[in-house]
Amino acid sequence: MKRPIAYLSGTGRSLPETVLHNADFAAMGLETSDAWIVERSGIRTRRIAKKGESTTSMGAEAARRAMEKAGVAPGEVDAIILSTATPDRLLPATAVEIQAVLGATRAVAFDIAAACSGWVFGLALAESMLIAGQAETLLVIASEKLSSIVDWTDRSTCVLFGDAAGAAVVQRSKQHRGILSSFMRSDGTLADLLQRPHGGAKTPMSEQVLRDRSHFIRMNGREVFRHSVRSMAEATDRALDGARLTGRDIDLFIPHQANIRIIEATAKHANIPLEKVFINVDRYGNTSSATIPVALDEAIESGRVHEGSTVLFVAFGAGFTWGSMVVRF
Ligand code: ACO
C-alpha cells in the first residue's frame, strides 16, 4: 500500500431548506406518483434552492464549514477546485466567485467539468497538486443547482435531481492517513446519453432552443442505468486493487447517490453488505457531484466515519465519466 500524501482534514455541506416531496409533482401537473419514483429510484424528497440561493452561495457555505472543521483560515488556502455542472455564470468560473465570498485572496481558483464524478476527480487533482508542490492547502468543492437545468415538464428526469453542495479541505497527510488509491476514466462516445443538447457554444441559446426546451437535461435513463452499473463495478475494483484491499476491508462505502438500485448493485459486486453503505438518495435525490461530499460529511457527523475508518468513494456521471478512491481517515 502506498504511503498517503493527501489527507481530508475537514468536510462541510450545504443543503437548501426547501424540501420537495414526491407528492408535490402531481400538484405541478406531472403524471407521476410517489410509488413510481420510490420503486424506480429510491428517492422520496429532494432539496430545491430558493431565489437568491446559487451555486456560489451553497459552495461557499459548504467550504466555510469544511475550513472551520480543518481549522484553516481563508488566507491559508492555496487552491480552490470547484466541480459543477451548473456554474452561476458561463464566464468567469464559479470557483473565483466562491473565492471572493470566502476572502481566500491568495488562492488559485478554477472549475472542473466532469459531471457527477467531478468531486472525486477534484480530489485526485488536489493530490497531484500536492505532489507537484503547487499547493499545501486546497479546497475541493462540489456545488450543484440542478433545479436550474432540469426540465420541470419532463417527468423522466425532473423527479431525480436536487440541489446541494459539499466540500473538503485537502492537506498533506500525517500518520498514514489519506488517499490510498484513486481511479479516473471517461468515454466521450457515450456523451449523447446524458446531456444538455443546446444552448452552448455550438448551438447558442435562441428562441428555437427555448421553444424546444433543448437547453435542459436530456437523459436516456435505461442506457445510463446499464452503463453506470458496469462502470461503477469497474471503478470499485480499480480503487480496491490500487489500495491492495477487498470489499471486506472497507468500513464505509459512499457511492454516488443517483438511484438505490445502482447503489445496491455496486455494493453487491464489491461484496460490501448494505449496513456498510451510506445511503441518503432517499432524502436528497441525485445532486450530481455533490452527493459524495454531502454523504461523507453526514457520515463523519453521525460517527460512521472516524479516525482509522477506511472509506470507498465511487462515482459515475455524464460524459460518461467514472472514478473511485479509497481514503483512510
Ligand atoms: N413517473 C411515472 N412514470 C414515468 C416517470 C415518472 N416520473 N418517468 C418515466 N416514466 C415512465 C416512462 O415513460 C416509461 O413508460 P412507457 O413504458 O409507457 O414508455 C416507464 O415509466 C418506464 O420508463 P423507464 O425509463 O424504462 O424506467 P426505468 O425502470 O428505466 O427507470 C430511471 C427510469 C429511474 C430514470 C432509471 O432508468 C434510472 O435510474 N436510470 C439511471 C439514471 C441515473 O442514474 N442518472 C444519473 C446518473 S449520472 C448522473 O448522476 C448525472
Side-chain angles (χ1 to χ4, degrees):
M1 190 186 303
K2 86 172 170 83
R3 191 188 162 87
I5 291 156
Y7 175 63
L8 279 62
S9 55
T11 58
R13 66 184 188 274
S14 170
L15 290 150
E17 277 174 21
T18 308
V19 180
L20 189 66
H21 296 261
N22 288 348
D24 298 332
F25 289 106
M28 291 159 59
L30 279 185
E31 230 179 277
T32 187
S33 65
D34 177 58
W36 192 96
I37 301 169
V38 171
E39 190 197 315
R40 303 293 175 116
S41 71
I43 300 165
R44 292 177 187 276
T45 58
R46 70 286 292 141
R47 301 294 180 93
I48 302 295
K50 61 175 186 285
K51 205 163 178 248
E53 281 180 312
S54 63
T55 299
T56 301
S57 67
M58 292 188 294
E61 190 180 13
R64 213 176 266 131
R65 290 183 179 154
M67 285 162 57
E68 263 168 37
K69 292 202 197 116
V72 162
E76 294 173 67
V77 176
D78 300 313
I80 299 172
I81 301 170
L82 172 69
S83 162
T84 189
T86 57
D88 282 333
R89 290 187 270 186
L90 294 182
L91 192 76
T94 304
V96 299
E97 307 209 38
I98 293 177
Q99 171 187 25
V101 172
L102 296 176
T105 44
R106 50 181 287 272
V108 57
F110 55 91
D111 292 2
I112 57 170
C116 307
S117 309
W119 190 73
V120 172
F121 285 16
L123 287 181
L125 178 59
E127 183 188 40
S128 300
M129 289 177 73
L130 264 168
I131 292 168
Q134 289 164 330
E136 287 296 318
T137 298
L138 303 98
L139 268 170
V140 182
I141 307 167
S143 186
E144 307 276 13
K145 190 177 163 184
L146 292 160
S147 61
S148 68
I149 61 164
V150 297
D151 183 345
W152 289 99
T153 66
D154 175 9
R155 67 177 183 174
S156 69
T157 52
C158 75
V159 301
L160 303 172
F161 297 101
D163 302 333
V169 174
V170 177
Q171 294 179 296
R172 207 163 278 280
S173 293
K174 292 182 192 115
Q175 299 156 342
H176 290 274
R177 291 152 67 189
I179 297 172
L180 301 182
S181 67
S182 64
F183 166 75
M184 295 187 278
R185 190 55 55 86
S186 53
D187 183 351
T189 65
L190 302 169
D192 290 354
L193 294 174
L194 176 48
Q195 59 165 329
R196 293 175 68 191
H198 300 133
K202 193 173 171 188
T203 35
M205 192 57 82
S206 64
E207 279 178 24
Q208 183 69 42
V209 170
L210 285 173
R211 250 196 319 273
D212 295 345
R213 309 178 75 78
S214 59
H215 55 307
F216 290 128
I217 290 184
R218 297 261 176 93
M219 177 171 74
N220 179 332
R222 238 175 255 183
E223 281 300 300
V224 173
F225 190 95
R226 205 166 63 78
H227 285 284
S228 68
V229 168
R230 200 176 59 199
S231 301
M232 285 178 73
E234 181 201 3
T236 303
D237 293 345
R238 296 294 293 265
L240 289 173
D241 288 351
R244 310 248 188 285
L245 298 174
T246 71
R248 273 188 289 278
D249 301 310
I250 296 301
D251 297 307
L252 191 68
F253 177 33
I254 305 183
H256 173 48
Q257 311 277 316
N259 183 310
I260 189 68
R261 293 182 291 149
I262 299 173
I263 293 172
E264 286 171 355
T266 311
K268 190 170 172 210
H269 170 85
N271 242 325
I272 299 175
L274 280 180
E275 310 86 79
K276 289 188 174 182
V277 183
F278 196 91
I279 295 167
N280 63 12
V281 68
D282 52 327
R283 288 180 285 139
Y284 306 136
N286 181 348
T287 60
S288 190
S289 63
T291 66
I292 294 176
V294 166
L296 173 64
D297 191 49
E298 288 192 331
I300 291 172
E301 200 170 272
S302 63
R304 290 186 73 182
V305 170
H306 44 76
E307 203 176 314
S309 298
T310 304
V311 179
L312 170 66
F313 305 141
V314 177
F316 175 84
F320 292 139
T321 57
W322 59 105
S324 53
M325 187 166 273
V326 175
V327 182
R328 166 108 2 108
F329 281 82

